[in-house]
Amino acid sequence: MGTESAGTEQRQPVMADVAKLAGVSHQTVSRVLNGAPHVRPDTRDRVLAAIRELDYRPNSAARALVTRRSQTLGVVSFDSTLYGPASMLDGIEQAARSAGYFVSVTSLRSLDGRSVQEAVDRLRDQGVEGVVVIAPQTSAVSAVARLSSSVPVVAVGSGRQTQVPMVSVGNRFGAGEATGHLLDLGHRTVHHVAGPANWVESQDREEGWRLALQAAGAPVPDVERGDWSARSGYQAGLRIAELPDVTAVFCANDQMALGLLRALNEAGRSVPAEISVVGFDDIPEAAYFIPPLTTVRQDFGELGRRALELLVEELEGTAPSPAQVQISPELVLRRSVGPAARP
């Protein structure tokens, strides 16, 4: 008897144990676990109390066989430590967990068509119900547009019109807001430190900057090209510091703005008294730059939530057509901008 008791204590509880403790049938426990209607409230409460007391954990594989739903979503992510893509992934994962989904992530070093297709196929073979693809580069946008998949796919971050459901940030709008704010402060024009040419965000932010200048009849300076890193912003800043007529700079991300600020400081160019600087992203450290950085904030939590909502709508067949969701960024004013210096 003692041996049997010890064995019972060591094994994991099963559904039959829950049913016995709650005084209900195995089928009733199953209905409670699967959220089925027509279960009396007091019965449901007894089953849930038994689950808590036994610390019962449903077998997700067995449950998937019964419900034909894995409650798992796949994410194809770009293998990057950059704040933008990494924060997108974090936002998607948090939103998925809040909605009761598991997440299976595949990170790729290359977002070419073949790599993306193979990643989606692997996730589909794992039984995911749908896939989110983080698509920050032009190659990824093209790859997503050519995908062949038997499960719904939603792309995040590209902002380009495709037949694939898409959630993106209004990069053109945000860049235009940043540029327009600097022009409103009396700056004759705004110089731009852009990101890599093959990134959609870089292209869209550059376009938003250019259109804002053209709409105001302001000169359009040559673009300084960076690679998103603070180092590249620093190198661009050294070149910009040598131009005596520069009074305002819009950087395509905050890391490049950080490098630019250091270069201007080393060159003896005061920010914002001589040169105003605006970034993009609002990384957590932006408020602690010297001076605190005016920047364009992206809500990555909202981006993840909306991507998950759109994917669930695709699963349920209720998504709008075309399913394109764009989230407006917000200009955050800090002390790195000021009125143009009088000549």
Side-chain angles (χ1 to χ4, degrees):
M1 185 73 174
T3 303
E4 290 178 358
S5 175
T8 302
E9 292 175 357
Q10 290 174 359
R11 71 174 176 83
Q12 293 294 319
V14 297
M15 193 179 293
D17 299 322
V18 175
K20 182 177 180 180
L21 182 60
V24 298
S25 68
H26 181 282
Q27 290 81 2
T28 298
V29 175
S30 179
R31 286 199 296 272
V32 171
L33 289 171
N34 293 319
H38 311 305
V39 178
R40 293 175 56 178
D42 60 330
T43 301
R44 187 184 304 275
D45 289 344
R46 289 207 314 276
V47 171
L48 294 176
I51 288 172
R52 288 193 296 270
E53 182 175 339
L54 294 171
D55 195 24
Y56 170 69
R57 294 291 181 268
N59 184 316
S60 58
R63 187 174 176 183
L65 288 173
V66 174
T67 64
R68 299 193 176 185
R69 297 196 62 179
S70 66
Q71 292 298 116
T72 301
L73 303 176
V75 179
V76 178
S77 174
F78 179 53
D79 186 11
S80 174
T81 58
L82 290 171
Y83 178 75
S87 298
M88 287 182 196
L89 176 59
D90 183 62
I92 292 166
E93 288 184 304
Q94 289 190 33
R97 286 196 298 271
S98 297
Y101 284 90
F102 301 100
V103 174
S104 179
V105 180
T106 296
S107 293
L108 302 177
R109 292 190 177 277
S110 173
L111 287 174
D112 59 273
R114 180 176 179 179
S115 298
V116 173
Q117 182 67 64
E118 289 176 349
V120 171
D121 289 343
R122 286 197 302 272
L123 290 167
R124 185 188 59 191
D125 291 343
Q126 294 173 19
V128 300
E129 296 185 41
V131 178
V132 176
V133 180
I134 297 176
Q137 296 178 347
T138 52
S139 60
V141 178
S142 299
V144 170
R146 296 193 303 269
L147 273 176
S148 173
S149 177
S150 59
V151 298
V153 175
V154 168
V156 179
S158 75
R160 294 300 169 91
Q161 296 292 322
T162 70
Q163 296 303 311
V164 177
M166 187 79 63
V167 179
S168 63
V169 171
N171 287 293
R172 292 185 192 88
F173 172 80
E177 288 287 288
T179 305
H181 178 67
L182 290 167
L183 294 174
D184 290 343
L185 288 171
H187 296 278
R188 175 175 170 270
T189 189
V190 178
H191 287 249
H192 183 43
V193 180
N198 65 330
W199 281 65
V200 178
E201 286 92 341
S202 176
Q203 295 171 3
D204 287 351
R205 292 169 194 176
E206 182 178 339
E207 184 176 347
W209 159 80
R210 190 181 305 276
L211 289 174
L213 292 179
Q214 292 172 345
V220 181
D222 292 337
V223 170
E224 291 285 348
R225 183 73 59 188
D227 62 7
W228 299 129
S229 69
R231 180 187 182 89
S232 69
Y234 175 78
Q235 293 168 340
L238 293 176
R239 295 188 292 270
I240 287 173
E242 295 178 354
L243 304 175
D245 60 338
V246 175
T247 64
V249 182
F250 165 54
C251 295
N253 79 336
D254 291 347
Q255 283 92 344
M256 292 192 299
L258 173 61
L260 175 82
L261 289 173
R262 175 174 171 177
L264 295 178
N265 178 265
E266 290 180 358
R269 305 292 298 275
S270 176
V271 177
E274 294 180 66
I275 299 179
S276 290
V277 177
V278 178
F280 205 111
D281 283 340
D282 195 26
I283 62 175
E285 297 83 6
Y288 301 95
F289 288 2
I290 300 176
L293 182 66
T294 291
T295 185
V296 181
R297 175 183 296 159
Q298 302 189 64
D299 188 338
F300 290 105
E302 176 71 1
L303 195 68
R305 187 179 68 80
R306 296 296 294 276
L308 182 75
E309 287 179 352
L310 184 56
L311 184 56
V312 171
E313 289 173 357
E314 288 290 323
L315 288 167
E316 296 174 348
T318 60
S321 181
Q324 304 286 331
V325 177
Q326 189 168 92
I327 299 171
S328 296
E330 174 191 3
L331 182 63
V332 179
L333 301 179
R334 298 193 180 101
R335 296 202 299 274
S336 65
V337 300
R342 293 183 180 275

